[in-house]
């Protein structure tokens, strides 16, 4: 059975299920969410995000607008919304029990299409999950209402100037006071997205000895001794990439997330979703770029014919399309698997898979951005006009490759995880 086509009719500008082709994954509520978010982002953000990016700031009331529209709860929740969050609005009126990993995918797909606005929620995507999954009830009851209502903002602070990929060796310390009521935090964190405007820093700190076992997760409010300064990166000003310093910051011991020493595992568990979410961004970036490049190729003439009439240009589109559609299919498969596995099994079975999927997102993103820049010609390097979205995507592709786990590190992780699972399967089969 086919559904009504939706969105752009340009080939590959939309996922296949938008064109009316059948899919086992998307139901009526996904279509409802898609239609709502597209209309809503076009109404509120179209033509504005470039100006905000230039100013380096989104107007203060926009975050509240997003909260009232029901964006914050699904963004903080990811693939499932807990029943206790049902008293907050949820975008498009989707019921909390209906929300699944495909709603998460659709939401991000359409938000990314809506422009740079998505950048202001990165801290929430990566910072809120440890609070929801591992914090005690008293801390959740205190902090979550502030975060979910948009009164306060959160980010995730793991990376340090001296260690990024090598999380096990982080050096920011949190020492208990003699009365055990506080931690005193000292150290530095680097490249922290949304840090400039965050009120809470979900921070990996060293509470014990060397290695992974000495790492804990501590929620650090913007207290005296915590300082932030901007870092200018290619990720754009709305990402508010930040250098954070902690000088004798006195944090209540009750702000520890879960148990001391659990911080490394808590960080790793959350990477599945973070990496998947990078792929969501890559996919829509590719589709936007192909849409604009195709629109241009259909009208631009060179050497007496339209670009699209040149076989070499059609060859480029074919090569982009096969990679984008394969990435889409693999992503949907992983979303489906995560949907049907427990959190623990998802982390155990899919840690290496999501690592490799993220790598693929970066590689396909880079390829498509580069090809589209060539098709657009000079427009592909121009920050305004018909090439603006291609130029912006091309500039953003390193952001698909390094943050959330660097390409080389993740390829290696993917292979090591696959070998580990293979050994486990071998042992299990030997016992039969
Ligand atoms: C725009 C931006 C936003 C970010 N946002 C956040 C954030 O919100 N919170 C946060 O905590 N961090 C954030 N980061 C940090 C990001 O996660 C790290 O930059 C990333 O993990 C890589 O760490 P590194 O920069 O220290 O590189 P390094 O770890 O020094 O690695 C450098 C390079 O060496 C190679 N390499 C290193 N180790 C290996 C290995 N074992 N095998 C193979 N190759 C290897 C890789 O090519 C790697 O890219 C952000 C970074 C950027 C640029």
């Amino acid at each position: 059975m086919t559904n009504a086509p939706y969105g752009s009719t340009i080939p590959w500008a939309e996922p296949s299920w938008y064109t009316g082709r059948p899919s086992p994954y998307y139901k009526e509520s996904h279509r409802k969410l898609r239609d709502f978010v597209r209309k809503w982002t076009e109404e509120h953000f179209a033509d504005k995000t470039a100006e905000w990016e230039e100013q380096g700031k989104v107007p203060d009331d926009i975050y509240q607008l997003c909260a009232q529209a029901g964006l914050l709860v699904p963004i903080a929740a990811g693939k499932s919304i807990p029943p206790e969050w049902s008293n907050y609005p949820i975008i498009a009126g989707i019921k909390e029990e209906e929300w699944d990993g495909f709603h998460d995918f659709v939401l991000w797909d359409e938000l990314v299409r809506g422009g740079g606005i998505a950048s202001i929620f990165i801290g929430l995507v990566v910072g809120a999950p440890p609070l929801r999954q591992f914090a005690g009830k008293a801390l959740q009851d205190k902090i979550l209402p502030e975060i979910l209502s948009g009164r306060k903002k959160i980010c995730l602070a793991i990376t340090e100037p001296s260690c990024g990929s090598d999380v096990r060796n982080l050096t920011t310390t949190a020492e208990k006071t003699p009365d055990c009521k506080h931690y005193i935090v000292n150290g530095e964190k680097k490249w922290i997205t949304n840090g400039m405007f965050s009120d809470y820093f979900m921070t990996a700190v060293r509470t014990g000895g060397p290695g992974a076992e000495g790492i804990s997760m501590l929620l650090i409010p913007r207290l005296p001794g915590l300082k932030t300064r901007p870092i200018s990166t290619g990720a754009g000003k709305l990402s508010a990439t930040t250098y954070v310093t902690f000088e004798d910051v006195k944090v209540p011991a009750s702000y520890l997330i879960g148990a001391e020493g659990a911080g490394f595992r808590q960080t790793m568990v959350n990477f599945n979703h973070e990496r998947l979410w990078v792929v969501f961004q890559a996919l829509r970036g590719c589709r936007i770029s192909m849409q604009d490049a195709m629109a241009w190729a259909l009208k631009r003439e060179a050497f007496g014919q339209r670009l699209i009439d040149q076989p070499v240009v059609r060859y480029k589109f074919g090569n982009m399309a096969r990679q984008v559609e394969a990435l889409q299919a693999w992503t949907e498969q992983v979303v489906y698997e995560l949907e049907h596995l427990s959190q623990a099994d998802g982390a155990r079975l899919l840690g290496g898979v999501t690592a490799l999927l993220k790598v693929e997102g970066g590689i396909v993103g880079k390829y498509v951005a580069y090809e589209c820049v060539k098709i657009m010609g000079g427009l592909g390097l121009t920050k305004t006009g018909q090439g603006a979205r291609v130029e912006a995507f091309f500039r953003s592709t390193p952001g698909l490759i390094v943050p959330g786990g660097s390409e080389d590190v993740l390829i290696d992780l993917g292979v090591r995880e696959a070998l580990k699972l293979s050994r486990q399967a071998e042992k299990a089969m030997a016992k039969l």
Side-chain angles (χ1 to χ4, degrees), residues 156-159 163-165 191-193 233 235 241 402-406 408-409:
L156 181 72
I158 310 286
T159 309
C163 74
S165 314
W191 296 303
I192 305 311
T193 304
T233 72
T241 313
V402 172
S406 191
D408 305 322
V409 177

Side-chain angles (χ1 to χ4, degrees), residues 122-123 126-127 155-167 189-195 202 204 231-236 239-242 267 271 274-275 358 398-399 401-413 416:
I122 297 173
V126 291
C155 62
L156 181 72
I158 310 286
T159 309
E160 302 183 348
S162 61
C163 74
S165 314
D166 189 9
V167 175
K189 297 285 174 184
K190 194 171 181 185
W191 296 303
I192 305 311
T193 304
N194 294 175
M202 182 61 74
I231 306 176
S232 177
T233 72
S239 292
T241 313
T242 305
T267 307
F271 271 140
E274 182 178 346
R275 289 172 183 159
K358 190 215 165 225
I401 292 159
V402 172
S406 191
E407 187 172 288
D408 305 322
V409 177
L410 293 192
I411 291 177
D412 186 51
L413 175 71
R416 283 188 288 114

Side-chain angles (χ1 to χ4, degrees), residues 386-402:
Q386 295 172 77
R389 298 200 300 179
V390 171
E391 190 280 335
F393 183 54
F394 182 79
R395 217 168 355 103
S396 76
T397 51
L400 305 173
I401 292 159
V402 172

